[in-house]
Short mmCIF file of all heavy atoms in Angstrom, two decimals:
data_model
loop_
_atom_site.label_atom_id
_atom_site.label_comp_id
_atom_site.label_asym_id
_atom_site.label_seq_id
_atom_site.Cartn_x
_atom_site.Cartn_y
_atom_site.Cartn_z
N ALA L 132 12.04 10.28 -19.06
CA ALA L 132 11.38 9.32 -18.09
C ALA L 132 12.29 8.21 -17.77
O ALA L 132 12.20 7.58 -16.62
CB ALA L 132 10.15 8.78 -18.68
N LYS L 133 13.29 7.87 -18.57
CA LYS L 133 14.27 6.82 -18.22
C LYS L 133 15.30 7.26 -17.25
O LYS L 133 15.74 6.47 -16.47
CB LYS L 133 14.96 6.42 -19.54
CG LYS L 133 14.08 5.63 -20.45
CD LYS L 133 14.82 5.19 -21.65
CE LYS L 133 13.91 4.41 -22.61
NZ LYS L 133 14.62 3.93 -23.86
N LYS L 134 15.56 8.58 -17.24
CA LYS L 134 16.54 9.06 -16.26
C LYS L 134 15.92 9.31 -14.95
O LYS L 134 16.58 9.18 -13.84
CB LYS L 134 17.15 10.42 -16.81
CG LYS L 134 17.96 10.15 -18.10
CD LYS L 134 18.50 11.53 -18.44
CE LYS L 134 18.41 11.69 -20.03
NZ LYS L 134 18.42 12.96 -20.50
N ILE L 135 14.68 9.73 -14.91
CA ILE L 135 13.99 10.00 -13.65
C ILE L 135 12.72 8.97 -13.66
O ILE L 135 11.70 9.21 -14.38
CB ILE L 135 13.43 11.47 -13.59
CG1 ILE L 135 14.59 12.41 -13.75
CG2 ILE L 135 12.64 11.76 -12.35
CD1 ILE L 135 14.23 13.83 -13.93
N PRO L 136 12.81 7.97 -12.88
CA PRO L 136 11.74 6.95 -12.90
C PRO L 136 10.34 7.30 -12.54
O PRO L 136 9.36 6.73 -13.02
CB PRO L 136 12.31 5.85 -12.02
CG PRO L 136 13.26 6.58 -11.07
CD PRO L 136 13.81 7.74 -11.90
N TYR L 137 10.19 8.34 -11.69
CA TYR L 137 8.78 8.68 -11.28
C TYR L 137 8.47 10.12 -11.88
O TYR L 137 8.33 11.10 -11.18
CB TYR L 137 8.72 8.74 -9.77
CG TYR L 137 9.08 7.41 -9.19
CD1 TYR L 137 10.32 7.20 -8.56
CD2 TYR L 137 8.12 6.40 -9.20
CE1 TYR L 137 10.61 5.89 -8.12
CE2 TYR L 137 8.43 5.11 -8.74
CZ TYR L 137 9.67 4.87 -8.21
OH TYR L 137 9.95 3.67 -7.66
N LEU L 138 8.45 10.17 -13.19
CA LEU L 138 8.29 11.45 -13.95
C LEU L 138 7.02 11.38 -14.74
O LEU L 138 6.80 10.46 -15.50
CB LEU L 138 9.50 11.69 -14.80
CG LEU L 138 9.42 12.95 -15.63
CD1 LEU L 138 9.59 14.18 -14.77
CD2 LEU L 138 10.51 12.95 -16.70
N ILE L 139 6.19 12.42 -14.60
CA ILE L 139 4.96 12.49 -15.41
C ILE L 139 5.29 13.43 -16.62
O ILE L 139 5.71 14.64 -16.38
CB ILE L 139 3.84 13.19 -14.59
CG1 ILE L 139 3.59 12.40 -13.35
CG2 ILE L 139 2.58 13.28 -15.50
CD1 ILE L 139 3.34 10.88 -13.46
N CYS L 140 5.21 12.99 -17.78
CA CYS L 140 5.44 13.84 -19.02
C CYS L 140 4.25 14.63 -19.29
O CYS L 140 2.98 14.22 -19.08
CB CYS L 140 5.88 12.94 -20.16
SG CYS L 140 7.42 12.01 -19.83
N PRO L 141 4.37 15.77 -20.01
CA PRO L 141 3.24 16.54 -20.49
C PRO L 141 2.43 15.78 -21.46
O PRO L 141 2.90 15.08 -22.28
CB PRO L 141 3.96 17.82 -21.16
CG PRO L 141 5.41 17.82 -20.66
CD PRO L 141 5.71 16.43 -20.41
N SER L 142 1.15 16.03 -21.42
CA SER L 142 0.16 15.35 -22.43
C SER L 142 0.03 16.23 -23.57
O SER L 142 0.00 17.61 -23.53
CB SER L 142 -1.11 15.29 -21.72
OG SER L 142 -1.16 14.35 -20.72
N LEU L 143 0.05 15.61 -24.83
CA LEU L 143 -0.16 16.31 -25.98
C LEU L 143 -1.56 16.60 -26.19
O LEU L 143 -2.48 15.65 -26.02
CB LEU L 143 0.34 15.46 -27.15
CG LEU L 143 0.33 16.08 -28.65
CD1 LEU L 143 1.22 17.34 -28.69
CD2 LEU L 143 0.63 15.11 -29.65
N VAL L 144 -1.98 17.89 -26.47
CA VAL L 144 -3.40 18.23 -26.53
C VAL L 144 -3.62 18.96 -27.84
O VAL L 144 -2.76 19.52 -28.52
CB VAL L 144 -3.83 19.21 -25.39
CG1 VAL L 144 -3.71 18.57 -24.06
CG2 VAL L 144 -3.09 20.48 -25.41
N GLN L 145 -4.92 18.89 -28.38
CA GLN L 145 -5.33 19.62 -29.52
C GLN L 145 -6.38 20.64 -29.02
O GLN L 145 -7.15 20.34 -28.15
CB GLN L 145 -6.14 18.63 -30.44
CG GLN L 145 -5.20 17.65 -31.20
CD GLN L 145 -6.05 16.77 -32.06
OE1 GLN L 145 -7.32 16.86 -32.12
NE2 GLN L 145 -5.37 15.95 -32.91
N VAL L 146 -6.30 21.78 -29.56
CA VAL L 146 -7.18 22.91 -29.19
C VAL L 146 -7.98 23.38 -30.49
O VAL L 146 -7.53 23.25 -31.59
CB VAL L 146 -6.52 24.10 -28.56
CG1 VAL L 146 -5.91 23.66 -27.29
CG2 VAL L 146 -5.48 24.80 -29.48
N ASP L 147 -9.15 23.79 -30.20
CA ASP L 147 -10.00 24.34 -31.28
C ASP L 147 -9.63 25.83 -31.54
O ASP L 147 -8.76 26.30 -30.92
CB ASP L 147 -11.48 24.19 -31.09
CG ASP L 147 -11.98 24.96 -29.81
OD1 ASP L 147 -11.28 25.86 -29.32
OD2 ASP L 147 -13.08 24.55 -29.36
N GLU L 148 -10.28 26.46 -32.49
CA GLU L 148 -9.94 27.86 -32.89
C GLU L 148 -10.21 28.83 -31.74
O GLU L 148 -9.70 29.96 -31.76
CB GLU L 148 -10.73 28.28 -34.19
CG GLU L 148 -12.20 28.14 -34.16
CD GLU L 148 -12.69 26.69 -34.53
OE1 GLU L 148 -11.91 25.93 -34.97
OE2 GLU L 148 -13.91 26.47 -34.24
#
Side-chain angles (χ1 to χ4, degrees):
K133 290 183 179 179
K134 296 179 219 162
I135 303 172
Y137 302 101
L138 178 72
I139 307 302
C140 296
S142 295
L143 184 63
V144 299
Q145 292 177 355
V146 295
D147 62 16
E148 56 275 349

